Amino acid sequence: MVQVRVLGVALDQSGQHIILLKPLGEDEGRGRVLPIWIGAQEATSILIAVQGEQAPRPLSHDLMKLLLEAVGSNIERVDVTRIEDGTFYAELTIMTPTGPYVIDARPSDSVALASRTDAPLFVADEVLEQAGIPAEMVESRSDEEESEESAEEKLEEFKKFLEDVDPEDFQG
């Protein structure tokens, strides 16, 4: 497992939301980034949490966090464990008064909860290797001076990738 952070949320060419996860400690523009397709509501929820904002009324993930706190529990960690037939799978490890409890969950809900609770996010090495894309497709290296033309070329390359990619391409 490799610990990751939320790099951002993007839209693919068909308007589908993608969350981008990047390993901690990797330099900008280096390594791999894991794109996971998610729903619009989850994307909004993650963005609100990552930006430190609050919705006027509690969202579902806010409610989940409050319910966990009410029963003396917390999210210990989130693990994106595997990808099968283009579907990503995750597990939430919840620390309860009686001990840890691991439950199956969608990565989008798991990331939304982790973003609210500061729980660490992890991705299985095999998942990152299989479904990750080169980081330079979504971010530029901070240690290099890039011309505007070069940055535009990378953006166009990433747009082409998003246009041609299908979540089924990540089937195991």
Side-chain angles (χ1 to χ4, degrees):
M1 290 285 192
V2 60
Q3 190 169 1
V4 297
R5 65 181 173 88
V6 176
L7 181 63
V9 177
L11 289 174
D12 69 8
Q13 289 295 96
S14 66
Q16 295 287 327
H17 290 86
I18 303 170
I19 186 162
L20 301 168
L21 302 177
K22 168 119 182 184
L24 290 181
E26 283 191 356
D27 292 336
E28 193 171 326
R30 298 186 189 274
R32 297 184 73 75
V33 172
L34 181 65
I36 300 178
W37 279 258
I38 61 175
Q41 290 178 343
E42 292 82 1
T44 300
S45 182
I46 291 167
L47 281 173
I48 287 172
V50 168
Q51 294 173 350
E53 304 289 328
Q54 287 203 343
R57 302 267 307 151
L59 300 175
S60 297
H61 301 106
D62 299 316
L63 179 60
M64 288 182 213
K65 176 188 174 209
L66 291 171
L67 287 170
L68 287 168
E69 290 171 354
V71 296
S73 300
N74 65 297
I75 305 293
E76 187 170 282
R77 66 183 283 154
V78 168
D79 297 309
V80 178
T81 57
R82 67 188 194 281
I83 181 172
E84 290 180 14
D85 299 324
T87 301
F88 290 88
Y89 292 83
E91 293 177 345
L92 284 172
T93 301
I94 301 171
M95 186 53 72
T96 71
T98 59
Y101 188 65
V102 178
I103 59 173
D104 180 44
R106 297 183 312 172
S108 56
D109 290 327
S110 300
V111 171
L113 275 169
S115 298
R116 284 167 169 68
T117 61
D118 295 322
L121 298 164
F122 295 89
V123 172
D125 295 316
E126 309 81 50
V127 172
L128 189 59
E129 181 62 32
Q130 180 182 356
I133 60 174
E136 61 265 13
M137 292 180 77
V138 293
E139 58 183 6
S140 61
R141 293 184 185 159
S142 60
D143 60 344
E144 291 181 6
E145 291 295 322
E146 290 188 80
S147 69
E148 232 175 89
E149 184 178 319
S150 176
E152 286 177 20
E153 286 174 11
K154 286 183 179 181
L155 180 59
E156 287 304 313
E157 181 182 348
F158 183 59
K159 285 180 179 178
K160 183 174 178 359
F161 167 78
L162 291 176
E163 186 176 305
D164 296 335
V165 74
D166 186 336
E168 291 177 2
D169 292 341
F170 296 109
Q171 290 178 325

